[in-house]
């Protein structure tokens, strides 16, 4: 049941970035990571660490885009396509911007709020789930990496 599932406990932003950087070491062209978890759970922090792990030139530029759905970061080991689809109400909007070009491209997709577009995600999608653990402290997050898109 838990085939290939990996779980970390992060106690800080830095630790979350480090975990992301470690995962980025294994990234291959066409990988798709659905980042799920509530507001402020650490999805963008993870994306920044992932970018650093890919040796993207300015990983500090990986921020939550306010009005753009996609930010492209090139110049690293692989192109990084960082999506935040929080504002999408209909997966057709993602289709309209040509998301398939990236999902089936030669870079790595990180998609915040990916459950909004779950029907567009390829079967090879992996989910990274961010959960707060208030009983373990304000900065504690459980990070679970699993095969499959968000439910
Ligand atoms: N262990 C941790 N890992 C990641 N972020 C943490 C951690 N502990 C505290 N934080 C704080 O939580 C916040 C995470 O913000 P971030 O923008 O990464 O969340 P997000 O999941 O992308 O939110 P949104 O859904 O709004 O895009 C930051 O303010 C960060 O400092
Ligand atoms: Mg974010």
């Amino acid at each position: 049941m838990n085939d290939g599932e990996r779980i970390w406990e992060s106690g800080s932003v830095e630790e979350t970035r480090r975990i992301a950087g470690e995962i980025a070491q294994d990234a291959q062209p066409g990988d798709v990571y659905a980042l799920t978890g509530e507001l402020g759970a650490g999805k963008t922090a993870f994306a920044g660490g992932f970018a650093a792990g890919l040796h993207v030139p300015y990983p500090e530029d990986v921020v939550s885009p306010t009005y753009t759905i996609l930010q492209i970061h090139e110049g690293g080991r692989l192109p990084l396509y960082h999506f935040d689809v929080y504002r999408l109400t209909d997966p057709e909007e993602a289709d309209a911007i040509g998301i398939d070009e990236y999902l089936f491209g030669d870079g790595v997709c990180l998609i915040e709020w990916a459950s909004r577009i779950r029907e567009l995600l390829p079967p090879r999608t992996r989910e990274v789930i961010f959960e707060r653990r208030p009983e373990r402290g304000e900065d504690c997050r459980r990070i679970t990496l699993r095969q499959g898109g968000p439910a």
Side-chain angles (χ1 to χ4, degrees):
M1 221 41 203
N2 289 337
D3 260 10
E5 186 175 279
R6 293 173 72 187
I7 299 175
W8 293 263
E9 190 173 276
S10 163
S12 65
V13 188
E14 293 71 30
E15 205 173 336
T16 294
R17 292 210 177 101
R18 192 181 49 67
I19 292 162
E22 198 183 298
I23 295 171
Q25 302 310 309
D26 300 328
Q28 299 299 320
D31 281 354
V32 177
Y33 292 91
L35 310 185
T36 61
E38 63 187 43
L39 287 166
K43 302 180 293 296
T44 300
F46 179 94
F50 199 99
L54 287 178
H55 301 288
V56 160
Y58 298 98
E60 63 276 15
D61 288 351
V62 177
V63 293
S64 263
T66 312
Y67 294 109
T68 45
I69 290 171
L70 167 63
Q71 290 190 325
I72 300 177
H73 302 277
E74 288 182 308
R77 182 171 69 80
L78 295 167
L80 177 62
Y81 306 121
H82 178 208
F83 288 85
D84 187 330
V85 297
Y86 181 70
R87 280 164 201 83
L88 295 192
T89 49
D90 189 328
E92 277 195 14
E93 294 168 15
D95 231 356
I97 68 152
I99 194 170
D100 273 6
E101 184 188 329
Y102 305 102
L103 292 175
F104 300 93
D106 52 9
V108 181
C109 291
L110 299 186
I111 310 174
E112 298 191 38
W113 294 98
S115 51
R116 298 264 199 283
I117 58 160
R118 68 167 65 79
E119 50 269 74
L120 301 179
L121 301 172
R124 66 179 181 282
T125 300
R126 277 171 281 207
E127 185 177 16
V128 187
I129 305 164
F130 298 84
E131 294 165 296
R132 291 175 188 269
R133 316 213 66 200
E135 73 282 8
R136 306 269 292 146
E138 198 186 321
D139 291 346
C140 187
R141 304 288 190 271
R142 180 160 70 183
I143 301 173
T144 305
L145 172 65
R146 57 175 286 276
Q147 284 297 325

